[in-house]
């Protein structure tokens, strides 16, 4: 919306932003979170490989399991995210940042690239400190530092961390739902009449 109104001088009242709806079960199930990190290796594979090598050579390797998301159905991806504590985001560039949004909605702390399009998601997470760490593209060691912070917060403030993950999940699920998308589409169509 900002791009269209600024770049092409379109009147702001003639440009509408349509909310992306997440395709998730209506309520997040109460799942026991594992000390598990998930990521999508097809997104900037070289970066993910470097970060995982750094992780494997750190003291964190013994206390976290890592699972790649490869060739899984959408339902299995959601199940894996719901049982995991951390999602590493390597997508850059991204449009909306769907993997980041789904991870937050599934109760994961997110560490990684906002992909430009996912900046708003990281901004939403700012109201829940310690749950989202936006990493500058190519700053591989910053991933490890952020994992250390989540690890520390988990060991020192587990119940608060898990509660905040649930609150962020609820916020994302409410913001990016089908009723919000429907309302935005109806608003956009109203300017045509």
């Amino acid at each position: 919306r900002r791009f269209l109104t600024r770049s092409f001088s379109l009147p702001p009242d003639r440009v509408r932003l349509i909310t992306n709806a997440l395709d998730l079960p209506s309520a997040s199930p109460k799942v026991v979170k594992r000390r598990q990190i998930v990521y999508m290796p097809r997104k900037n594979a070289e970066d993910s490989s470097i970060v995982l090598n750094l992780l494997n050579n750190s003291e964190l390797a013994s206390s976290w399991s890592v699972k790649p998301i490869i060739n899984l159905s959408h339902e299995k991806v959601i199940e894996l995210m719901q049982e995991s504590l951390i999602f590493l985001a390597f997508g850059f560039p991204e449009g909306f940042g769907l993997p980041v949004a789904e991870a937050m909605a599934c109760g994961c702390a997110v560490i990684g690239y906002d992909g430009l399009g996912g900046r708003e998601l990281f901004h939403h997470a700012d109201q829940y400190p310690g749950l989202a760490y936006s990493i500058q593209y190519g700053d591989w060691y910053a991933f490890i530092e952020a994992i250390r912070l989540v690890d520390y917060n988990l060991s020192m403030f587990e119940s608060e961390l898990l509660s905040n993950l649930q609150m962020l999940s609820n916020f994302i699920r409410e913001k990016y739902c089908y009723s919000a998308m429907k309302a935005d589409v109806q608003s956009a169509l109203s300017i045509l009449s």
Side-chain angles (χ1 to χ4, degrees):
R1 183 172 191 265
R2 188 171 58 225
F3 173 77
L4 291 173
T5 56
R6 289 180 180 173
S7 301
F8 300 105
S9 301
L10 296 172
D13 62 333
R14 299 289 295 166
V15 180
R16 295 292 190 266
L17 178 66
I18 308 292
T19 297
N20 286 303
L22 300 178
D23 185 16
L24 298 170
S26 57
S28 58
K30 302 297 180 206
V31 177
V32 174
K33 289 287 195 177
R34 298 179 181 169
R35 291 180 66 85
Q36 183 167 278
I37 299 170
V38 292
Y39 73 104
M40 295 177 168
R42 65 182 171 78
K43 303 265 187 173
N44 287 309
E46 185 176 350
D47 289 33
S48 65
S49 177
I50 291 168
V51 169
L52 290 176
N53 280 327
L54 290 170
L55 179 62
N56 287 333
N57 289 317
S58 76
E59 77 287 354
L60 296 164
S62 62
S63 52
W64 290 89
S65 65
V66 178
K67 297 227 176 185
I69 299 172
I70 304 172
N71 297 327
L72 297 177
S73 68
H74 185 254
E75 293 77 20
K76 291 293 183 190
V77 170
I78 298 306
E79 285 176 23
L80 188 58
M81 285 183 175
Q82 286 175 332
E83 69 184 29
S84 301
L85 274 163
I86 297 176
F87 175 77
L88 300 180
F90 292 102
F92 192 94
E94 288 279 350
F96 164 59
L98 183 60
V100 168
E102 287 180 335
M104 287 179 178
C106 289
C108 292
V110 176
I111 298 168
Y113 305 147
D114 63 30
L116 304 175
R119 282 183 186 160
E120 74 179 76
L121 299 162
F122 281 87
H123 289 305
H124 293 319
D126 286 345
Q127 57 190 313
Y128 308 98
L131 301 186
Y133 298 87
S134 181
I135 306 295
Q136 292 295 314
Y137 184 72
D139 190 356
W140 305 311
Y141 198 74
F143 280 87
I144 306 307
E145 291 171 334
I147 294 169
R148 265 196 196 98
L149 288 171
V150 173
D151 186 73
Y152 174 80
N153 288 332
L154 184 62
S155 66
M156 298 300 290
F157 314 105
E158 182 176 359
S159 62
E160 293 91 342
L161 179 85
L162 295 175
S163 175
N164 285 340
L165 285 171
Q166 186 61 54
M167 286 191 289
L168 177 58
S169 170
N170 294 341
F171 176 85
I172 296 295
R173 285 170 177 274
E174 289 171 16
K175 176 136 182 85
Y176 299 99
C177 65
Y178 283 105
S179 61
M181 184 175 73
K182 182 179 176 183
D184 288 346
V185 170
Q186 287 173 336
S187 174
L189 292 174
S190 74
I191 64 172
L192 298 176
S193 33

